[in-house]
Amino acid sequence: MQLLWFYVAIALAISDEVHSRLVWDYVRDFYIIFGGVVSSSLDSVMEAWIVHEALEALFHFIFVSCVFFSLKVGFLAALIHFLLDVSHSIAIKHMPWLPHRALHFVFESLFFIAVFGL
């Protein structure tokens, strides 16, 4: 139980990679069309981007909830991932893959250490 923070951070990193692979390797065409529909039905690109991040958070919620059999852990994982994606997308325009993964892992780990205790 004391390493739960670490396991959740690892599961969230795996979830992000699974999401990326699924979206860009298997359902890319659908995702692009769906993104166009979402974008055309909303008023701004910012709203479409927030919807995209929210749908990604929903994926992480489902994935992590299934891994840990806990809706609370899934919700917290999705929430911190969503907040990190939004904040670093605003503050940092482009990041290579490895620094992006490291940024997420460090902040998600710190968040879960704070939540689950030392």
Side-chain angles (χ1 to χ4, degrees), residues 34-70:
F34 179 69
V37 170
V38 167
S39 181
S40 67
S41 65
L42 297 173
D43 293 330
S44 70
V45 174
M46 181 70 87
E47 288 177 357
W49 172 65
I50 293 294
V51 167
H52 157 77
E53 293 298 344
L55 290 172
E56 184 178 346
L58 178 64
F59 177 86
H60 296 312
F61 168 73
I62 293 167
F63 186 94
V64 175
S65 293
C66 289
V67 168
F68 291 98
F69 302 113
S70 171

Side-chain angles (χ1 to χ4, degrees), residues 11-24:
L12 198 46
I14 292 169
S15 176
D16 208 20
E17 287 301 308
V18 167
H19 176 263
S20 295
R21 298 287 182 248
L22 282 175
V23 167
W24 297 117

Side-chain angles (χ1 to χ4, degrees), residues 97-110:
W97 176 82
L98 189 57
H100 179 254
R101 289 271 44 90
L103 175 95
H104 272 267
F105 188 78
V106 167
F107 282 100
E108 290 163 357
S109 294
L110 290 174

